[in-house]
Amino acid sequence: MTAATAPEVIPGSPRPSSPRQTIPSNAGAAAEAPCCSLTAAPLDVEHAEHMALKLKALSDPTRLRLLSHVAAQGCEAVCACDLTDELGISQPTVSHHLKKLVDAGLLTREQRGRWAHYTVIHEAFDDLSGFLALR
């Protein structure tokens, strides 16, 4: 078994190209955008868990579809009964995913007789957009 060796460099020949390319420091003002971060400081454990719960809830395509239907109503509450036919999914599946969105603090749930009605918590999305904004 032979050991891997570096390619031979012949004096005066161009150096082998690196897989990473660098931008020269004098590339112009457009290339010198300020550094950005997701937050002003590293997240503490509590805030990281809080944000992860919201992001996990949003990582499911069915939940995103449910959320978009509720959000499309603006400030009006949406009955869970209206979402089953609209999305073509069963009532237990709708309830399961809506519960995850409520538990994540993205929707509120209000029981009205037999059916639950849901509305968006706008502050939760202000929190998420502030976290994700690259400023």
Side-chain angles (χ1 to χ4, degrees), residues 13-86:
S13 68
R15 297 173 73 187
S17 63
S18 168
R20 294 190 319 174
Q21 296 194 1
T22 58
I23 297 173
S25 61
N26 61 355
E32 294 184 27
C35 291
C36 55
S37 67
L38 292 176
T39 60
L43 296 177
D44 60 23
V45 173
E46 184 179 332
H47 192 216
E49 288 174 356
H50 174 76
M51 296 308 296
L53 181 65
K54 291 179 189 306
L55 293 169
K56 283 180 189 178
L58 292 172
S59 69
D60 184 275
T62 301
R63 288 186 208 130
L64 286 175
R65 290 181 66 213
L66 285 166
L67 179 65
S68 71
H69 280 2
V70 174
Q73 299 304 311
C75 296
E76 296 291 319
V78 176
C79 180
C81 61
D82 295 331
L83 296 170
T84 56
D85 290 337
E86 186 78 26

